[in-house]
Amino acid sequence: MQNCFVPARILLPAGGTPLNPWACIAVDQFTSQPEYWEKAESLAAGKPSTLHLVLPEAYLGTGQEDARLASIRAAMEDYRLHLLTRQVNGYVYLERTQMDGTIRQGLVGAVDLEQYSFAPGSKPAIRPSESTVVARIPPRLKIRRGATLETPHVMMLADDESRTLVEPIGAVKDRLPLLYEGDLMLGGGHLAGWAVEDPALIAQINAAVTALGDPDAFAARWPGAAGQPAMALAVGDGNHSLATAKAYWEELKPTLTPEERQNHPARWCLAEVCNVHSPAIEIEPIHRVLFGVDAPAAARAFAAWLTAHGAAPRGGDQPILLTGGAGEYPFAVSGSPDPLAVGTAEHFIGDFLADHPGVTVDYIHGSQTARAMAADPAKPATALILPEFAKADLFKGVVLGGVLPRKTFSMGHAEEKRYYNECRSLIR
């Protein structure tokens, strides 16, 4: 069987195209802050930008959605035929300078959707790290259907403690062709990328991926998962984007011949792979904001919910802070039916929303942002601030316990999310 992460035919605009505004942040950011997207659109107006190829989730379900989809289709075809004039046949090694000055290293290539599944209980080589909400796929599938290009914000994580995959390419970057370098729009930091087309380096990457998915090494690292198929990569970010690509591939497969299924472009999805052990990879909790209920009422409901589930609001190791314009309510939950604080919060929110149809929830990166969104006493809202998430627990949780609760963690600050940059054709 071929590796789950392979070289790709990667497309880029002509050399010298400014990353600001060509590269655009992931569409699932700033979903409750339309002013961010208004600024981005102002910067990208009349200029080459991946913003013209994607639909920010802030516009999902709005009256603008259909018109934007038609515009996206037209932009994809125009860019594919006229703008994306450079090709990399292999990988792109990149370095992203983050807000604190650390450099996140990554490799962009293609992941095989035949070796990925979000079905509960499945154990493929590529696994989601968080629960996939199937209801979130159809609106994204509408975008994927008929698309002639993809540009990824999917980030995969490798459990590569020996640093065999990404870091060795960085060590020889000075002899690789520089593809792009510059600052990203709206505080996204600095980005540089190099072409990896040397057959020897490609073989080196392939060997490292093979070793990461070796069944014997996997069993030695995770004795508690004895007999389980080996996992090579976990989805770190863009879980629902990858799930949408998978859903489209499964929809397309029955229309293809056996030969076409082996090499159709839609079988793969472009993604960036990073090493979870890199000090530049930060795993941060994703907080929740409930709109339509103030903090005192939410706190009373949470305390009652805990009691009903045999738990207690004090004396435990799950710190959850409910805060809003009407006050702050710290909890230290003990005896929860869920092993992680995020699971407790998500379980409570699911039950609360079912009983309160007028209340909605959003998932927010950054505790200060979450607090600010719930701070106006004239607009009832409650932020649930969750504790830090240890990144060492990520692979352990996925391998031994299955997927984590949805929206458990974020890789870095919102502005540090992967920006759309590299592209790939989805048609022959």
Side-chain angles (χ1 to χ4, degrees):
M1 179 186 292
Q2 68 174 352
N3 276 337
C4 62
F5 181 60
V6 297
R9 179 173 169 262
I10 298 168
L11 306 177
L12 288 164
T17 301
L19 288 176
N20 180 3
W22 166 252
C24 163
I25 201 170
V27 293
D28 59 350
Q29 301 304 299
F30 304 106
T31 52
S32 296
Q33 296 157 276
E35 64 274 11
Y36 176 94
W37 293 105
E38 290 167 4
K39 290 178 184 177
E41 289 182 348
S42 177
L43 288 170
K47 300 172 184 175
S49 177
T50 52
L51 179 55
H52 304 314
L53 303 178
V54 297
L55 178 65
E57 293 190 6
Y59 300 117
L60 279 179
T62 70
Q64 300 183 43
E65 184 175 335
D66 289 342
R68 285 179 176 270
L69 280 176
S71 177
I72 287 168
R73 295 280 186 266
M76 283 182 175
E77 197 60 5
D78 178 44
Y79 283 16
R80 189 178 67 86
L81 295 175
H82 304 116
L83 182 71
L84 297 168
T85 56
R86 287 190 296 166
Q87 294 184 23
V88 175
N89 293 296
Y91 300 93
V92 171
Y93 166 75
L94 61 85
E95 293 185 348
R96 174 81 173 272
T97 304
Q98 302 181 133
M99 297 170 71
D100 62 358
T102 58
I103 295 176
R104 187 180 76 217
Q105 300 171 285
L107 274 179
V108 176
V111 292
D112 184 4
L113 296 172
E114 283 290 295
Q115 300 188 60
Y116 158 75
S117 175
F118 56 86
S122 61
K123 304 293 183 184
I126 302 170
R127 301 181 198 175
S129 54
E130 297 181 342
S131 298
T132 302
V133 182
V134 177
R136 294 185 65 192
I137 294 177
R140 292 157 182 80
L141 191 56
K142 189 162 66 170
I143 301 168
R144 186 79 173 184
R145 285 191 191 107
T148 57
L149 283 176
E150 69 170 358
T151 180
H153 81 258
V154 177
M155 291 182 64
M156 314 295 297
L157 294 174
D159 185 17
D160 187 18
E161 198 166 15
S162 299
R163 291 166 169 75
T164 62
L165 178 60
V166 179
E167 291 84 354
I169 306 302
V172 298
K173 68 179 182 183
D174 289 344
R175 62 182 176 90
L176 303 178
L178 180 67
L179 294 167
Y180 52 78
E181 183 171 17
D183 292 333
L184 299 166
M185 71 160 77
L186 298 175
H190 191 81
L191 181 66
W194 293 261
V196 184
E197 297 180 298
D198 182 329
L201 290 178
I202 289 176
Q204 177 181 311
I205 292 169
N206 292 346
V209 174
T210 299
L212 287 171
D214 178 72
D216 293 335
F218 179 80
R221 181 159 177 74
W222 306 109
Q228 206 184 100
M231 179 178 76
L233 298 172
V235 185
D237 207 1
N239 182 53
H240 287 89
S241 291
L242 192 64
T244 299
K246 173 71 171 182
Y248 176 65
W249 171 236
E250 293 299 328
E251 185 180 271
L252 184 65
K253 266 200 305 185
T255 71
L256 304 175
T257 66
E259 293 75 20
E260 289 172 329
R261 293 178 191 179
Q262 296 302 311
N263 57 22
H264 194 283
R267 173 175 167 168
W268 290 270
C269 183
L270 213 56
E272 177 184 346
V273 172
C274 301
N275 184 3
V276 74
H277 296 282
S278 165
I281 297 292
E282 295 183 359
I283 304 295
E284 298 183 347
I286 297 179
H287 308 287
R288 278 75 170 143
V289 177
L290 292 172
F291 297 97
V293 59
D294 63 20
R300 287 194 298 271
F302 187 39
W305 182 90
L306 290 171
T307 300
H309 287 79
R314 301 285 181 267
D317 59 357
Q318 292 188 12
I320 302 173
L321 174 65
L322 275 66
T323 181
E328 289 197 348
Y329 301 85
F331 289 77
V333 177
S334 63
S336 172
D338 300 277
L340 297 175
V342 63
T344 300
E346 191 66 14
H347 193 167
F348 160 68
I349 289 170
D351 290 348
F352 187 80
L353 293 182
D355 293 336
H356 300 81
V359 177
T360 59
V361 65
D362 200 0
Y363 297 85
I364 305 301
H365 304 274
S367 60
Q368 290 185 339
T369 302
R371 286 174 177 271
M373 294 175 72
D376 186 350
K379 298 178 180 178
T382 303
L384 283 79
I385 307 299
L386 298 174
E388 294 299 312
F389 182 80
K391 69 179 183 179
D393 290 341
L394 192 150
F395 270 77
K396 180 180 179 181
V398 172
V399 171
L400 300 181
V403 294
L404 301 168
R406 67 176 298 217
K407 296 287 187 180
T408 293
F409 66 90
S410 165
M411 290 173 53
H413 302 289
E415 292 85 356
E416 293 173 346
K417 292 297 181 179
R418 176 170 172 82
Y419 274 51
Y420 303 108
N421 186 25
E422 297 84 4
C423 298
R424 187 176 71 94
S425 176
L426 290 173
I427 61 174
R428 290 187 181 87

